[in-house]
């Protein structure tokens, strides 16, 4: 492959941080999450959302607890403009939610943007322009001074349009920040901080995008730390980041950027966006949650969130997507199943011993970084059986779904039966079919059944001892190696040796231990 065509990041951008502080920082609280699904994410859809789909998505974001939401690019299309007007006229925006609208640095488009938000008690108007050398040379064909003049004129127009409306704040994005000279970014941001008179009670947001990922996440963290430590009026600036995922490291870039001083993160639910997507806010929030940090959003019904996003975007969420995918809490591997099953049982015992509900007890279950129940998942899908599964998973499913608690010594025997069945079918074995296979395999009574035995049993009813005597009278010598009456008394298990052949059997209902021995005898007799 012609790798020589590509330049490493250090030949494309200077990163002046040497005294790094972010590696020793800790994530101890959530940043301000700002979903951009309705603008940036929407621009990446083959079928952009109409107003009903956008409204459903907006209502989801509000219900989930997001307090600043980018709602559109009103100068880009009539659909976006109409949706922003819909939010204004329908009263859909709660008092504690601030809409964000996006505009390029062009006078007529800034005016159109302000027309869209007229009537909103508060809003953030987000100005952007590309700033890196390749964009300046190839796309804008302007030098640094010309870019600054364009930005300044746009910012002045925004300030005039906003007037004395204290509810309108400003945001600036030097697009392609991560490829832009740091001193130029600082010049632009500080110039706007002064022009817009940023202060703690009316802060300016400077949003620094990794528009196209070019380096490992530590490089982005260095870039963010440099701006964090050198921005003027720092207490009047909200430092924001907008990572994309071109190298597959968008989540890491966002987390390291917060360590480096970022206070705000823009992204999309489940990471939709151009190319490989925007940073995934769901993963970021639940990563914090898994560390014992309040994510400041409500994801207790994550399946409902996913269903809504899939319907609005008309894109599926991958089954292995972190936290939200259909299979992320599911184990097929035998060793994983055994560890999870034991972990869940240990968690329940420890919670009971401490007098704390299991849903509130400290969580430490192998292979499950968070309790699936915390995000609205039941335990039904945690362990599923196929040809890769082991005795632990099989036993867990029978116990939790059918109330059949196999003795430990019997589990390898049934696991072999299951392995053969799944190898033959090549598919997963649901809990109901697993139970049917158990009944078919072990709960048998022919050719010497309970009814026939009861004819020669004592008046007090059939007993295992009586059965063994009756069998001996017929010339069948049986040694009971293991007899488990079952914890609930409804299912019993027996392991017997008949003429050197050993087999397990099970019995249910009346005289379950007797039925279990009969089943084991019959199975051993046909081997």
């Amino acid at each position: 492959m012609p790798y020589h065509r590509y330049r490493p990041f250090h030949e494309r951008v200077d990163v002046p941080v040497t005294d790094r502080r972010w590696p020793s920082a800790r994530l101890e609280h959530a940043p301000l999450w700002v979903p951009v699904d309705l603008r940036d994410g929407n621009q990446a859809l083959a079928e952009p959302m109409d107003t009903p789909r956008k409204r459903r998505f907006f209502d989801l974001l509000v219900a989930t607890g997001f307090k600043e939401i980018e709602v559109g690019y009103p100068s880009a299309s009539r659909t976006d403009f109409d949706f922003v007007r819909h939010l204004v006229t329908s009263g859909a925006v709660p008092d504690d939610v601030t809409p964000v609208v996006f505009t390029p640095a062009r006078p007529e488009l800034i005016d159109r943007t302000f027309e869209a938000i007229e009537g909103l008690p508060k809003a953030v108007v987000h100005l952007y322009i590309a700033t890196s050398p390749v964009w300046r040379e190839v796309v804008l064909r302007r030098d640094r001074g010309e870019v600054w003049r364009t930005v300044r004129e746009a910012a002045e127009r925004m300030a005039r349009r906003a007037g004395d409306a204290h509810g309108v704040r400003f945001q600036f994005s030097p697009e392609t920040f991560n490829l832009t000279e740091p001193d130029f970014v600082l010049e632009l941001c500080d110039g706007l901080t002064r022009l817009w008179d940023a202060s703690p009670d009316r802060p300016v947001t400077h949003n620094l995008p990794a528009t196209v990922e070019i380096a490992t996440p530590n490089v982005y963290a260095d870039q963010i730390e440099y701006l964090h430590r050198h921005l003027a009026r720092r207490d009047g600036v909200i430092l924001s980041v907008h990572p994309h995922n071109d190298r597959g490291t968008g989540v890491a870039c966002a987390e390291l950027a917060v360590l480096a001083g970022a206070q705000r993160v823009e992204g999309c639910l489940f990471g939709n966006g151009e190319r490989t997507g925007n940073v995934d806010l769901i993963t970021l929030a639940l990563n914090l949650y898994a560390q014992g940090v309040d994510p400041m959003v409500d994801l207790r019904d994550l399946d409902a969130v996913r269903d809504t996003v899939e319907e609005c975007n008309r894109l599926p969420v991958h089954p292995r997507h972190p936290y939200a995918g259909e299979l992320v809490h599911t184990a097929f591997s035998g060793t994983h199943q055994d560890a999870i099953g034991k972990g869940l049982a240990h968690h329940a015992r420890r919670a009971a011993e401490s007098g704390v509900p299991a849903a509130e007890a400290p969580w430490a279950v192998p292979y499950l970084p968070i309790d699936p129940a915390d995000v609205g998942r039941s335990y039904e899908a945690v362990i599923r059986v196929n040809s890769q599964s082991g005795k632990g998973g099989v036993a867990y499913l029978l116990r939790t779904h059918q109330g059949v608690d196999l003795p430990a010594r019997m589990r390898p025997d049934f696991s072999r039966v299951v392995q053969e069945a799944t190898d033959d079918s090549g598919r997963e074995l649901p809990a109901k079919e697993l139970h049917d296979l158990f009944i078919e395999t072990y709960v048998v009574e022919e050719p010497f059944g309970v009814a026939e035995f009861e004819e020669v049993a004592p008046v007090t009813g059939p007993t295992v001892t009586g059965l063994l005597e009756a069998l001996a009278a017929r010339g069948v010598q049986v040694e009971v190696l293991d007899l488990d009456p079952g914890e609930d008394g409804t299912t019993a298990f027996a392991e017997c040796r008949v003429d050197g052949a050993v087999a397990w059997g099970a019995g249910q209902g009346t005289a379950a231990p007797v039925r279990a021995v009969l089943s084991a005898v019959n199975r051993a007799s046909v081997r």
Side-chain angles (χ1 to χ4, degrees), residues 107-432:
E108 71 279 12
L109 301 185
I110 291 170
D111 291 345
R112 180 70 166 163
T113 302
F114 274 88
E115 290 169 12
I117 65 171
E118 185 176 352
L120 281 175
K122 57 184 177 181
V124 172
V125 180
H126 181 180
L127 173 69
Y128 82 95
I129 192 169
T131 56
S132 63
V134 68
W135 262 258
R136 295 196 309 260
E137 295 165 11
V138 175
V139 181
L140 300 178
R141 298 188 178 182
R142 302 174 192 172
D143 61 22
R144 284 173 50 155
E146 290 170 321
V147 169
W148 164 235
R149 282 194 295 274
T150 301
V151 169
R152 185 185 66 237
E153 290 168 4
E156 289 171 343
R157 192 177 196 89
M158 289 169 57
R160 288 195 299 271
R161 288 301 305 250
D164 296 328
H166 196 75
V168 176
R169 294 190 291 107
F170 303 122
Q171 174 175 336
F172 173 62
S173 284
E175 191 184 0
T176 64
F177 154 78
N178 58 326
L179 274 168
T180 304
E181 307 93 327
D183 67 304
F184 185 41
V185 175
L186 198 61
E187 176 186 340
L188 292 171
C189 290
D190 284 350
L192 294 184
T193 297
R194 289 191 302 273
L195 191 155
W196 284 330
D197 195 21
S199 63
D201 63 338
R202 195 184 182 191
V204 165
T205 298
H206 288 312
N207 186 56
L208 308 178
T211 306
V212 178
E213 279 196 303
I214 61 160
T216 50
N218 60 294
V219 175
Y220 189 53
D222 284 348
Q223 293 173 310
I224 299 302
E225 182 168 328
Y226 175 80
L227 269 293
H228 166 59
R229 290 165 60 176
H230 292 88
L231 282 169
R233 301 196 197 185
R234 187 63 185 85
D235 61 349
V237 170
I238 297 172
L239 183 56
S240 175
V241 293
H242 182 116
H244 279 254
N245 199 44
D246 300 271
R247 304 178 82 251
T249 58
V251 166
C253 279
E255 291 180 328
L256 268 58
V258 173
L259 290 174
Q263 301 149 286
R264 179 181 184 271
V265 177
E266 293 187 350
C268 287
L269 273 59
F270 307 115
N272 174 50
E274 295 284 6
R275 304 178 308 281
T276 60
N278 291 287
V279 70
D280 176 358
L281 295 186
I282 296 291
T283 298
L284 284 171
L286 288 175
N287 281 354
L288 283 181
Y289 182 76
Q291 296 295 310
V293 176
D294 184 353
M296 302 301 290
V297 285
D298 186 353
L299 299 173
R300 286 176 292 183
D301 193 352
L302 191 53
D303 284 351
V305 173
R306 185 191 67 204
D307 291 346
T308 299
V309 173
E310 286 182 328
E311 182 174 331
C312 292
N313 283 345
R314 295 178 180 168
L315 290 173
V317 172
H318 195 281
R320 295 293 181 187
H321 194 99
Y323 300 106
E326 185 180 342
L327 296 177
V328 296
H329 300 296
T330 299
F332 292 104
S333 161
T335 54
H336 288 211
Q337 291 174 339
D338 182 62
I340 291 171
K342 289 175 179 175
L344 290 172
H346 176 73
H347 176 76
R349 285 195 305 271
R350 188 173 57 179
E353 290 168 359
S354 60
V356 176
E360 298 177 14
W363 182 256
V365 173
Y367 294 113
L368 296 177
I370 66 170
D371 185 345
D374 287 352
V375 290
R377 294 285 186 86
S378 71
Y379 293 134
E380 291 182 6
V382 168
I383 291 178
R384 289 160 60 176
V385 168
N386 64 13
S387 61
Q388 305 301 306
S389 305
K391 61 183 184 298
V394 169
Y396 174 87
L397 281 186
L398 278 182
R399 181 176 67 254
T400 57
H401 293 276
Q402 305 295 333
V404 177
D405 192 6
L406 294 179
R409 278 168 44 84
M410 186 180 182
R411 294 173 188 177
D413 189 81
F414 187 41
S415 181
R416 286 189 289 271
V417 174
V418 172
Q419 179 82 40
E420 184 176 345
T422 52
D423 275 341
D424 288 345
S425 69
R427 64 181 182 85
E428 180 185 350
L429 200 63
K432 175 63 168 60

